[in-house]
Coordinates of all heavy atoms in Angstrom, one line a residue:
T410 N -1.5 -18.4 -25.3 CA -1.5 -17.9 -26.6 C -2.1 -16.5 -26.6 O -3.1 -16.3 -25.8 CB -2.3 -18.8 -27.6 OG1 -3.6 -18.9 -27.1 CG2 -1.7 -20.1 -27.8
D411 N -1.5 -15.6 -27.3 CA -2.1 -14.2 -27.3 C -2.1 -13.6 -28.7 O -1.5 -14.2 -29.6 CB -1.4 -13.3 -26.3 CG 0.1 -13.1 -26.6 OD1 0.5 -13.1 -27.8 OD2 0.9 -13.1 -25.6
E412 N -2.8 -12.5 -28.8 CA -2.9 -11.9 -30.1 C -2.9 -10.4 -29.9 O -3.7 -9.9 -29.1 CB -4.1 -12.2 -30.9 CG -4.3 -11.6 -32.3 CD -5.5 -12.1 -33.0 OE1 -6.6 -12.2 -32.4 OE2 -5.4 -12.4 -34.2
K413 N -1.9 -9.7 -30.6 CA -2.0 -8.2 -30.5 C -2.9 -7.6 -31.5 O -3.1 -8.1 -32.6 CB -0.5 -7.7 -30.8 CG 0.5 -8.1 -29.7 CD 1.9 -7.5 -30.0 CE 2.9 -8.0 -28.9 NZ 4.2 -7.4 -29.2
L414 N -3.5 -6.4 -31.1 CA -4.6 -5.8 -31.9 C -4.3 -4.4 -32.1 O -3.5 -3.7 -31.3 CB -5.9 -6.0 -31.1 CG -6.3 -7.4 -30.7 CD1 -7.5 -7.3 -29.6 CD2 -6.7 -8.2 -31.9
R415 N -4.9 -3.8 -33.1 CA -4.9 -2.3 -33.3 C -6.2 -1.8 -33.7 O -6.9 -2.5 -34.5 CB -3.8 -2.0 -34.4 CG -3.7 -0.5 -34.8 CD -2.5 -0.2 -35.4 NE -1.4 -0.3 -34.5 CZ -0.1 -0.4 -34.9 NH1 0.2 -0.3 -36.2 NH2 0.9 -0.4 -34.0
Q416 N -6.6 -0.7 -33.1 CA -7.9 -0.1 -33.5 C -7.7 1.0 -34.5 O -6.9 1.9 -34.4 CB -8.6 0.5 -32.3 CG -9.9 1.1 -32.5 CD -10.7 1.3 -31.3 OE1 -10.7 0.5 -30.4 NE2 -11.5 2.4 -31.3
E417 N -8.4 0.9 -35.6 CA -8.4 1.9 -36.7 C -9.8 2.3 -36.9 O -10.7 1.6 -37.3 CB -7.8 1.2 -38.0 CG -6.4 0.9 -37.9 CD -5.8 0.4 -39.2 OE1 -6.6 0.0 -40.0 OE2 -4.6 0.3 -39.3
G418 N -10.1 3.6 -36.6 CA -11.4 4.1 -36.6 C -12.2 3.4 -35.5 O -11.8 3.4 -34.3
D419 N -13.3 2.7 -35.8 CA -14.1 2.0 -34.9 C -14.0 0.5 -35.1 O -14.8 -0.3 -34.6 CB -15.5 2.4 -35.0 CG -15.8 3.8 -34.5 OD1 -15.1 4.3 -33.7 OD2 -16.9 4.4 -34.9
S420 N -12.9 0.1 -35.8 CA -12.7 -1.4 -36.1 C -11.4 -1.9 -35.4 O -10.4 -1.1 -35.4 CB -12.7 -1.6 -37.5 OG -14.0 -1.3 -38.1
L421 N -11.4 -3.1 -35.0 CA -10.2 -3.8 -34.5 C -9.7 -4.8 -35.5 O -10.4 -5.5 -36.3 CB -10.5 -4.5 -33.3 CG -10.9 -3.7 -32.0 CD1 -11.1 -4.7 -30.8 CD2 -9.8 -2.8 -31.6
R422 N -8.3 -4.9 -35.6 CA -7.7 -5.9 -36.4 C -6.4 -6.4 -35.8 O -5.9 -5.8 -34.9 CB -7.3 -5.3 -37.8 CG -6.3 -4.2 -37.8 CD -5.9 -3.8 -39.2 NE -4.9 -2.7 -39.2 CZ -3.7 -2.8 -39.1 NH1 -3.2 -4.0 -38.9 NH2 -2.9 -1.7 -39.1
A423 N -6.1 -7.6 -36.2 CA -4.8 -8.2 -35.7 C -3.6 -7.4 -36.2 O -3.5 -7.1 -37.4 CB -4.7 -9.7 -36.1
E424 N -2.7 -7.1 -35.3 CA -1.5 -6.4 -35.7 C -0.3 -6.9 -34.8 O -0.2 -6.4 -33.7 CB -1.7 -4.9 -35.5 CG -0.5 -4.0 -35.7 CD 0.2 -4.3 -37.0 OE1 -0.4 -4.1 -38.1 OE2 1.3 -4.8 -37.0
P425 N 0.6 -7.8 -35.4 CA 1.7 -8.3 -34.6 C 2.6 -7.2 -34.1 O 3.3 -7.4 -33.1 CB 2.4 -9.2 -35.6 CG 1.3 -9.5 -36.6 CD 0.5 -8.4 -36.7
G426 N 2.7 -6.0 -34.7 CA 3.5 -5.0 -34.3 C 3.0 -4.0 -33.3 O 3.6 -3.0 -32.9
A427 N 1.7 -4.3 -32.8 CA 1.1 -3.4 -31.9 C 1.9 -3.3 -30.6 O 2.6 -4.3 -30.1 CB -0.3 -3.9 -31.5
D428 N 2.0 -2.1 -30.0 CA 2.8 -1.9 -28.8 C 2.0 -2.3 -27.6 O 1.5 -1.4 -26.8 CB 3.2 -0.4 -28.8 CG 4.3 -0.2 -27.8 OD1 4.9 -1.2 -27.2 OD2 4.7 1.0 -27.6
A429 N 1.8 -3.6 -27.4 CA 1.1 -4.1 -26.3 C 1.7 -5.5 -25.9 O 2.3 -6.1 -26.7 CB -0.4 -4.2 -26.6
A430 N 1.4 -6.0 -24.7 CA 2.0 -7.2 -24.2 C 1.2 -7.8 -23.2 O 0.4 -7.1 -22.4 CB 3.4 -7.0 -23.7
A431 N 1.3 -9.2 -23.0 CA 0.7 -9.9 -22.0 C 1.8 -10.6 -21.1 O 2.7 -11.1 -21.7 CB -0.2 -11.0 -22.5
T432 N 1.7 -10.5 -19.8 CA 2.5 -11.2 -18.9 C 1.7 -12.0 -17.9 O 0.5 -11.7 -17.6 CB 3.5 -10.3 -18.1 OG1 2.7 -9.3 -17.4 CG2 4.4 -9.6 -19.1
V433 N 2.2 -13.0 -17.3 CA 1.5 -13.9 -16.3 C 2.4 -14.0 -15.1 O 3.6 -14.2 -15.1 CB 1.2 -15.3 -16.9 CG1 0.4 -16.1 -16.0 CG2 0.4 -15.1 -18.2
L434 N 1.7 -14.0 -13.9 CA 2.3 -14.3 -12.6 C 1.6 -15.5 -12.0 O 0.5 -15.8 -12.4 CB 2.2 -13.1 -11.6 CG 3.0 -11.8 -11.9 CD1 2.4 -11.0 -13.0 CD2 3.2 -11.0 -10.6
M435 N 2.3 -16.2 -11.2 CA 1.7 -17.4 -10.6 C 2.2 -17.6 -9.2 O 3.4 -17.2 -8.8 CB 2.1 -18.6 -11.5 CG 1.5 -20.0 -11.1 SD 1.9 -21.2 -12.3 CE 1.5 -22.7 -11.4
R436 N 1.5 -18.3 -8.3 CA 2.0 -18.7 -7.0 C 1.4 -20.1 -6.7 O 0.3 -20.5 -7.3 CB 1.6 -17.7 -5.9 CG 0.2 -17.4 -5.7 CD 0.0 -16.3 -4.6 NE -1.3 -15.9 -4.5 CZ -1.7 -15.0 -3.5 NH1 -0.9 -14.5 -2.7 NH2 -3.0 -14.6 -3.5
T437 N 2.0 -20.9 -5.8 CA 1.6 -22.2 -5.5 C 1.3 -22.3 -4.0 O 2.0 -21.6 -3.2 CB 2.6 -23.2 -5.9 OG1 3.8 -23.0 -5.2 CG2 2.8 -23.2 -7.4
G438 N 0.4 -23.2 -3.6 CA 0.1 -23.3 -2.2 C -0.2 -24.7 -1.7 O -0.4 -25.6 -2.5
L439 N -0.1 -24.9 -0.3 CA -0.4 -26.1 0.3 C -1.8 -26.3 0.8 O -2.3 -27.3 1.1 CB 0.5 -26.2 1.5 CG 2.0 -26.3 1.3 CD1 2.8 -26.2 2.6 CD2 2.4 -27.5 0.5
D440 N -2.6 -25.1 0.7 CA -4.0 -25.2 1.1 C -4.8 -24.3 0.2 O -4.3 -23.8 -0.7 CB -4.3 -24.8 2.6 CG -3.8 -23.4 2.9 OD1 -3.7 -22.6 2.0 OD2 -3.4 -23.1 4.1
D441 N -6.2 -24.3 0.4 CA -7.0 -23.6 -0.6 C -7.3 -22.1 -0.3 O -8.1 -21.6 -1.0 CB -8.4 -24.4 -0.6 CG -9.1 -24.3 0.6 OD1 -8.6 -23.7 1.6 OD2 -10.2 -24.9 0.7
N442 N -6.5 -21.5 0.5 CA -6.7 -20.1 0.8 C -5.3 -19.4 1.0 O -4.7 -19.7 2.0 CB -7.6 -19.9 2.0 CG -8.2 -18.5 2.1 OD1 -7.5 -17.5 1.6 ND2 -9.4 -18.3 2.6
P443 N -5.0 -18.5 0.1 CA -3.6 -17.8 0.3 C -3.7 -16.6 1.2 O -2.7 -15.9 1.3 CB -3.4 -17.3 -1.1 CG -4.7 -17.1 -1.7 CD -5.7 -18.1 -1.1
R444 N -4.7 -16.5 2.0 CA -4.8 -15.4 3.0 C -5.0 -15.9 4.4 O -5.6 -17.0 4.6 CB -6.0 -14.4 2.6 CG -5.8 -13.9 1.2 CD -6.7 -12.6 1.0 NE -8.1 -13.0 0.9 CZ -9.1 -12.1 0.8 NH1 -8.8 -10.8 0.7 NH2 -10.3 -12.5 0.7
V445 N -4.6 -15.1 5.3 CA -4.7 -15.4 6.8 C -5.5 -14.4 7.4 O -5.4 -13.2 7.2 CB -3.3 -15.5 7.5 CG1 -3.5 -15.8 8.9 CG2 -2.4 -16.5 6.8
Y446 N -6.5 -14.9 8.2 CA -7.5 -14.0 8.8 C -7.3 -13.9 10.3 O -7.0 -15.0 11.0 CB -9.0 -14.5 8.5 CG -9.3 -14.6 7.0 CD1 -8.9 -15.7 6.3 CD2 -10.0 -13.6 6.4 CE1 -9.2 -15.7 4.9 CE2 -10.3 -13.6 5.1 CZ -9.9 -14.7 4.3 OH -10.1 -14.7 3.0
H447 N -7.4 -12.8 10.9 CA -7.1 -12.6 12.3 C -8.4 -12.0 13.1 O -9.2 -11.2 12.5 CB -5.9 -11.6 12.5 CG -4.7 -12.2 12.0 ND1 -4.2 -11.9 10.7 CD2 -3.8 -13.0 12.6 CE1 -3.1 -12.5 10.6 NE2 -2.8 -13.1 11.7
E448 N -8.6 -12.5 14.3 CA -9.6 -11.9 15.2 C -8.9 -11.2 16.3 O -7.9 -11.8 16.9 CB -10.4 -13.0 15.7 CG -11.4 -12.6 16.8 CD -12.2 -13.7 17.5 OE1 -11.8 -14.9 17.2 OE2 -13.0 -13.5 18.4

């Protein structure tokens, strides 16, 4: 759930027409570390 906002002066208010957006990325794994370390 997200909410778009607009700043007017020093105040914020909800504004569905605000030119802003939220996106989400995701990845899945077989273990608890998505990185590989080398020596």
